[in-house]
Amino acid sequence: MRGHRAWRVASAAVMALCVATACAGDGADDTGSVPSSAARTATVTREAGGDVATDSSALRGKWLDDGNVLALVGVINARQVDAANVELGAWHSDTVRAFASALIAQHDALQHSADSLAAVLRIAPVAPALADSISASLQSRIDSLRMLRGADLDRGFLAEQVAANQIAHSYLEGLAGIAERPEVQALVTSADDQTASQLDRARGVQATVTAADSMAADSLARLRAKRRLR
């Protein structure tokens, strides 16, 4: 429920700001259009210098503005979509495939909301040096999945999602406290709630797959035992 409330706050804030902007005669750009997610991703600038952190503890005492916060949310979204696309390339279980598809849809929707909010508030997402550390910590697990296929990929993807969502939560929780504007804070809180939901679902699917593997192994063992008796 907390996630739904935070999401409604973020959505209402975006709509209110859009109306206010339209009444003032200002658009997101000279043509009055809001840039697409792909266009905004292409225009995110990189912040030179700074220390590259190894974990979310770098957020403590580190000043980041709302542009940095939105850029980091975008990094997490992109890596999660990448992981799901690897799973969809060689999946085995329909249940795991459905989880990966839902994950992509959720992160695409979240990124669209983040892009719209940035356009309305006229915030330019600027990725700080910390973005490299976050991306690397998630990407290393994604790269390990590319060598897997079928049932092994399903199991590897679910394990990756448990770890990735735990990492994402540790960062998003800190970013929600750093965000300056209430609209940005609400969006990051919603993203964190979504991460918690995905972590729960990943663990649930993981338990289902493990149980199915155990039943299949037991059935195979019984079949082999019967053959030996013959």
Side-chain angles (χ1 to χ4, degrees), residues 35-96:
S36 65
S37 298
R40 290 195 57 78
T41 300
T43 57
V44 169
T45 55
R46 302 294 301 180
E47 182 180 85
D51 296 328
V52 176
T54 56
D55 56 46
S56 59
S57 64
L59 293 174
R60 302 191 189 104
K62 195 177 189 69
W63 185 82
L64 297 171
D65 62 22
D66 284 347
N68 299 146
V69 170
L70 290 176
L72 293 176
V73 170
V75 169
I76 293 172
N77 279 334
R79 295 292 76 76
Q80 287 288 68
V81 170
D82 287 347
N85 277 325
V86 173
E87 164 64 19
L88 293 178
W91 57 276
H92 173 72
S93 166
D94 285 333
T95 302
V96 183

Side-chain angles (χ1 to χ4, degrees), residues 120-156:
V120 170
L121 295 177
R122 297 182 179 277
I123 299 174
V126 179
L130 181 60
D132 294 329
S133 177
I134 296 176
S135 182
S137 66
L138 297 172
Q139 188 64 48
S140 62
R141 290 171 171 80
I142 297 172
D143 291 340
S144 67
L145 296 178
R146 300 186 189 281
M147 298 179 291
L148 304 177
R149 292 290 184 275
D152 288 338
L153 175 59
D154 289 348
R155 289 188 287 269

Side-chain angles (χ1 to χ4, degrees), residues 186-206:
L187 184 136
V188 177
T189 298
S190 179
D192 193 22
D193 289 341
Q194 176 176 291
T195 293
S197 177
Q198 289 173 348
L199 176 59
D200 287 343
R201 185 173 179 187
R203 285 172 169 163
V205 176
Q206 193 175 46

